[in-house]
């Protein structure tokens, strides 16, 4: 390994000894040319950016129209999360459950350490301490990611509270999640993302992209955190968080779980339709929520993240004006196209692409100009509708939890669970058509309970049981709903306009919370009649609303059979109460 004495890292004073020891062990294993402890400062980010611009890893965008923004092109074989090679490595296989790929911890460590041995030779090893959640929140949790990717450093700096303050908090907490990452050679057959929840450890090799590499996000804040949350009595969820201010001056906080690329960022930044003056939606989070039963019997939530890693395609001034405004400066774009003026471009924008996401001259026969999973990374502070409640150490009390999926048929626009237990069934029953956010086929319906299929760090049967037990601790639980913005007609046209008009559905939910709105009983839950929704000014196709609010009993019976078959995979571990809820709906369907 040669000359280690020249390469001894200089930990900042105040670095806890446990961090130090681990960094030293990783340094010996990976053999980097140098070690850089990240402070998270602006100067550090500017220096890393300048170096990446000079090496060609980043490209400057049109400085006048997108100041201080850059484009990163990832390897074309590395453009999304890779669920096939994502593992949960628990001592007992059953603890990971049929919902996860599993490997024994010893074997997994061996495989990963073989990959990491010497992997950073000639490269810089970055040590980045980060905090998920407001730095002074009792609900926040810290981690340290070691990576050889400067792109990861720049992204984590936006997505988390990264740097010296986090290190100080780790010294106070005495514990942290260890995340080791290397882009390796980007060889798809040498690509693995391994989680060791019992050791609070993550090892990720061979990908530099998003959820595979920004370890604070899905790996820590969902897979590891969901495990910790079960032990400690809270929930780590794939949910957006919003404050909704009504014209009457009420504010309600709503959390919503939709699968990847199914509308969380868009709902989190929703602009009310012109027909709803006085309403305002403010963003607390757009992807992940940590939920804690509070002292007063309500459920409180924080957003562990500090930025957004959002889907670019489809974002424009009509669909999401706030997002479009927010990415016009100080933004990292990944895998978008360029116009002739070097402005970022993606499908859904006006104008024309000149260069595609792979840096080639745009040619429609090569497919989309921007990769369908191209993204922007941006600080939450740039969001025009940022909610300052995102900084509250105690979080915000949740009035409603919304589950949803992308389904062209069956699932109605909205329905409400009869109570928490039924709501757990509704969440467990989420299914959605796959999207470009994960490698693999797009548009295939798959079961995605609570939008957590790729992210739950333990056995779903235990997870559903945990959801039921959290509900039992809430004397004032939120109401639970299910929505589907993605119903289509026979020609593939959306039946519901979506985006800003989704607030019409949220208004009904909040009226339900306040006891103002009526609902009709259906076998699958409580639904608005068309008069209960404010549809004023909407140009819906003839018959669309009946379609959107209909319950096709025959189709639902077969849906429940599929859900029952899914539950069977969990055997005796499945909570009896969940099976009872399913049987109850089946009985109501006749
Ligand atoms: P992740 O970041 O992958 O977790 O995705 P997300 O859930 O935040 O999804 P996002 O809001 O980025 O939306 C993904 C895609 O769905 C974008 O192309 C949006 O334009 C589209 N979309 C979002 N909301 C709606 C809606 O209400 N109706 C329709 N038809 N499309 C929508
Ligand atoms: C998702 O896929 O749900 C995302 C993007 O939010 S990633 O960070 O790649 O997981
Ligand atoms: Mn997501």
């Amino acid at each position: 390994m040669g000359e280690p004495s020249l390469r001894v890292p200089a930990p900042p004073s105040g670095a806890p000894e446990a961090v130090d020891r681990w960094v030293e062990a990783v340094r010996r294993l990976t053999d980097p040319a140098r070690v850089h402890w990240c402070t998270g400062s602006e100067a550090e980010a500017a220096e890393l950016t300048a170096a990446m611009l000079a090496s060609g890893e980043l490209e400057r965008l049109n400085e006048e129209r997108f100041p201080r923004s850059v484009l990163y092109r990832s390897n074309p074989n590395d453009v999304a999360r890779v669920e096939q090679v994502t593992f949960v490595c628990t001592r007992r296989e059953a603890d990971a459950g049929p919902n996860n790929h599993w490997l024994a911890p010893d074997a997994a460590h061996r495989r990963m350490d073989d990959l990491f041995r010497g992997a950073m030779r000639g490269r810089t090893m970055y040590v980045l301490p980060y905090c998920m959640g407001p730095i002074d929140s009792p609900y926040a949790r810290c981690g340290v990611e070691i990576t050889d990717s400067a792109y990861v450093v720049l992204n984590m700096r936006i997505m988390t509270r990264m740097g010296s303050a986090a290190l100080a908090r780790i010294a106070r907490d005495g514990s942290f999640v260890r995340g080791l990452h290397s882009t390796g050679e980007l060889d798809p057959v040498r690509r693995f993302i391994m989680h060791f929840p019992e050791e609070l450890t993550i090892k990720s090799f061979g990908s530099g992209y998003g959820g595979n590499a920004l370890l604070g996000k899905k790996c820590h804040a969902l897979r590891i955190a969901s495990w910790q949350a079960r032990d400690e009595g809270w929930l780590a969820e794939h949910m957006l968080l919003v404050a909704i201010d009504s014209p009457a001056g009420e504010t309600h906080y709503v959390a919503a779980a939709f699968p990847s690329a199914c509308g969380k960022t868009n709902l989190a930044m929703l602009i009310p339709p012109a027909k709803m003056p006085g309403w305002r939606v403010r963003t607390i989070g757009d992807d992940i929520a940590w939920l804690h039963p509070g002292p007063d019997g309500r459920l409180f939530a924080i957003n562990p993240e500090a930025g957004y890693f959002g889907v670019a395609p489809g974002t424009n001034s009509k669909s999401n004006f706030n997002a479009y405004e927010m990415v016009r400066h100080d933004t990292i774009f990944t895998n978008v196209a360029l116009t002739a003026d070097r402005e970022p471009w993606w499908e859904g924008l006006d104008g024309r692409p000149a260069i595609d996401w792979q840096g080639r001259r745009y040619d429609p026969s090569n497919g989309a100009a921007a990769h369908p999973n191209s993204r922007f990374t941006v600080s939450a502070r740039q969001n025009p509708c940022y909610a300052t409640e995102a900084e509250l150490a105690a979080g915000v009390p949740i009035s409603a939890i919304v589950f949803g999926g992308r389904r062209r048929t069956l699932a109605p626009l909205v329905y409400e669970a009869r109570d928490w237990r039924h709501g757990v069934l509704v969440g467990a029953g989420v299914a959605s058509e796959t999207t470009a956010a994960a490698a693999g086929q797009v548009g295939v319906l798959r079961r995605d309970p609570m939008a957590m299929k790729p992210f739950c760090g333990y056995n779903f049967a235990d997870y559903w049981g945990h959801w039921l037990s959290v509900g039992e601790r809430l004397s004032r639980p939120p109401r639970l709903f299910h929505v589907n913005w993605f119903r289509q007609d026979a020609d593939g046209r959306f039946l519901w306009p979506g985006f800003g008009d989704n607030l019409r559905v949220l208004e009904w939910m909040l009226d339900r919370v306040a006891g103002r709105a009526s609902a009709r009983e259906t076998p699958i839950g409580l639904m608005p009649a068309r008069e209960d929704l404010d549809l004023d000014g909407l140009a819906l196709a003839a018959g669309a609303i009946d379609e959107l609010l209909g319950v096709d009993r025959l189709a639902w019976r077969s849906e429940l059979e599929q859900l029952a078959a899914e539950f069977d995979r969990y055997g005796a571990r499945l909570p009896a109460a969940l099976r009872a809820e399913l049987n109850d709906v089946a009985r109501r369907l006749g």
Side-chain angles (χ1 to χ4, degrees):
M1 253 176 231
E3 299 172 280
S5 60
L6 293 177
R7 300 181 192 163
V8 169
S13 55
E17 213 181 302
V19 177
D20 235 9
R21 269 201 311 272
W22 176 58
V23 167
E24 177 56 19
V26 170
R27 188 189 63 78
R28 279 169 197 271
L29 177 69
T30 60
D31 196 24
R34 61 197 82 77
V35 177
H36 176 107
W37 288 75
C38 297
T39 63
S41 75
E42 213 158 293
E44 177 182 77
E47 217 167 282
L48 287 175
T49 304
M52 291 183 78
L53 286 167
S55 70
E57 285 167 279
L58 288 180
E59 282 186 33
R60 187 63 82 192
L61 297 173
N62 184 316
E63 188 61 29
E64 205 173 301
R65 288 202 285 270
F66 288 81
R68 298 172 303 282
S69 298
V70 292
L71 166 64
Y72 178 79
R73 293 196 187 96
S74 71
N75 189 303
N77 80 29
D78 184 34
V79 293
R81 283 184 294 100
V82 279
E83 297 176 5
Q84 275 316 310
V85 293
T86 299
F87 290 78
V88 169
C89 310
T90 45
R91 276 177 305 226
R92 282 179 309 217
E93 180 170 8
D95 289 341
N99 46 305
N100 280 302
H101 300 298
W102 175 86
L103 211 57
D106 283 351
H109 279 302
R110 242 180 287 121
R111 181 184 297 188
M112 295 310 279
D113 291 351
D114 283 348
L115 292 171
F116 275 107
R117 193 161 295 113
M120 298 189 188
R121 230 159 252 162
R123 303 166 83 162
T124 302
M125 178 175 115
Y126 300 94
V127 181
L128 49 115
Y130 62 87
C131 180
M132 302 309 290
I135 199 100
D136 58 346
S137 170
Y139 303 143
R141 292 286 186 278
C142 290
V144 176
E145 176 165 357
I146 297 180
T147 178
D148 55 10
S149 162
Y151 168 77
V152 166
V153 176
L154 292 176
N155 278 271
M156 284 287 284
R157 179 171 176 272
I158 294 173
M159 297 302 297
T160 72
R161 281 103 170 153
M162 188 260 266
S164 313
L167 200 58
R169 168 141 184 176
I170 290 170
R172 287 203 306 281
D173 288 354
S175 102
F176 62 99
V177 170
R178 290 161 165 75
L180 174 55
H181 168 254
S182 170
T183 47
E185 320 78 10
L186 298 176
D187 177 352
V189 304
R190 285 161 53 85
R191 178 175 294 162
F192 297 100
I193 297 106
M194 304 270 188
H195 303 74
F196 306 85
E198 290 149 326
E199 305 164 36
L200 303 186
T201 294
I202 305 153
K203 294 185 177 178
S204 165
F205 189 91
S207 166
Y209 192 86
N212 303 330
L214 314 178
L215 301 187
K217 198 172 177 56
K218 297 309 184 3
C219 300
H220 176 166
L222 288 177
R223 296 194 193 95
I224 300 286
S226 61
W227 178 283
Q228 288 181 294
R230 192 251 322 247
D231 283 350
E232 298 170 11
W234 50 283
L235 294 165
E237 297 297 327
H238 191 204
M239 290 177 178
L240 68 92
L241 270 178
V242 282
I244 304 180
D245 307 322
S246 78
E250 285 174 24
T251 295
H252 281 284
Y253 300 100
V254 174
F258 308 152
S260 301
C262 290
K264 288 182 302 301
T265 301
N266 276 273
L267 186 61
M269 307 185 67
L270 180 150
I271 296 193
K275 286 281 172 187
M276 295 181 74
W279 286 87
R280 184 136 196 255
V281 174
R282 294 175 294 115
T283 319
I284 297 174
D286 84 324
D287 199 48
I288 300 177
W290 286 356
L291 310 170
H292 289 257
D296 63 357
R298 290 186 295 177
L299 189 63
F300 284 76
I302 64 164
N303 169 20
E305 302 191 280
Y308 315 126
F309 183 64
V311 176
T315 306
N316 59 51
S317 52
K318 269 193 232 85
S319 66
N320 191 343
F321 181 83
N322 285 326
Y324 190 65
E325 279 302 299
M326 127 187 120
V327 301
R328 293 169 72 96
H329 64 100
D330 299 283
T331 300
I332 302 171
F333 292 93
T334 300
N335 294 338
V336 300
L338 290 175
T339 67
D341 288 338
R342 305 193 58 73
E343 292 187 40
W345 193 91
W346 48 80
E347 278 64 24
L349 283 182
D350 293 337
R352 250 182 313 146
I355 306 206
D356 76 5
W357 64 276
Q358 299 189 57
R360 303 172 298 195
R361 203 160 57 80
Y362 173 61
D363 176 348
S365 69
N366 286 331
H371 189 276
N373 193 34
S374 56
R375 300 252 168 182
F376 51 77
T377 316
V378 68
S379 164
R381 303 291 199 134
Q382 289 186 203
N383 177 357
C385 57
Y386 177 67
T388 51
E389 291 101 311
E391 313 286 332
L392 292 177
V396 295
I398 299 299
S399 297
I401 292 178
V402 185
F403 298 109
R406 182 186 284 269
R407 295 195 73 164
R408 63 198 98 189
T409 59
L410 189 78
L413 179 63
V414 60
Y415 62 102
E416 181 187 342
R418 281 178 282 272
D419 54 25
W420 181 275
R421 269 174 45 151
H422 177 222
V424 174
L425 176 74
V426 168
V430 170
S432 194
E433 288 144 22
T434 52
T435 66
Q441 238 186 316
V442 169
V444 186
L445 189 72
R446 74 158 176 183
R447 307 235 64 99
D448 194 349
M450 279 83 172
M452 284 286 278
K453 167 68 187 68
F455 308 121
C456 183
Y458 62 105
N459 191 318
F460 258 151
D462 301 346
Y463 169 81
W464 295 320
H466 182 52
W467 261 84
L468 292 168
S469 78
V470 167
E472 279 160 20
R473 287 166 52 207
L474 300 172
S475 55
R476 299 157 71 191
R479 284 183 188 246
L480 275 46
F481 298 87
H482 187 287
V483 299
N484 178 16
W485 313 139
F486 299 94
R487 280 292 286 269
Q488 291 177 13
D489 66 15
D491 299 322
R493 279 181 301 244
F494 288 113
L495 289 174
W496 177 250
F499 300 101
D501 287 310
N502 293 335
L503 186 57
R504 297 166 186 268
V505 176
L506 291 165
E507 181 185 18
W508 176 74
M509 292 179 193
L510 296 184
D511 283 342
R512 292 288 302 159
V513 166
R516 284 190 292 259
S518 52
R520 63 196 167 92
E521 278 272 358
T522 81
I524 62 168
L526 303 160
M527 286 177 67
R530 60 187 302 162
E531 313 78 69
D532 297 321
L533 288 176
D534 177 2
L535 302 173
D536 190 33
L538 278 188
L540 295 179
I545 199 68
D546 298 326
E547 188 89 353
L548 284 163
L549 296 178
V551 177
D552 178 341
R553 283 179 184 246
L554 209 58
W556 269 101
R557 263 181 237 154
S558 114
E559 173 77 6
L560 278 206
E561 274 163 30
Q562 288 166 49
L563 184 55
E566 174 72 12
F567 283 173
D568 286 343
R569 295 174 60 212
Y570 295 85
R573 233 160 144 136
L574 187 83
L578 198 59
R579 177 72 72 181
E581 285 295 331
L582 183 126
N583 291 339
D584 180 55
V585 176
R587 188 184 48 74
R588 288 167 191 262
L589 281 165

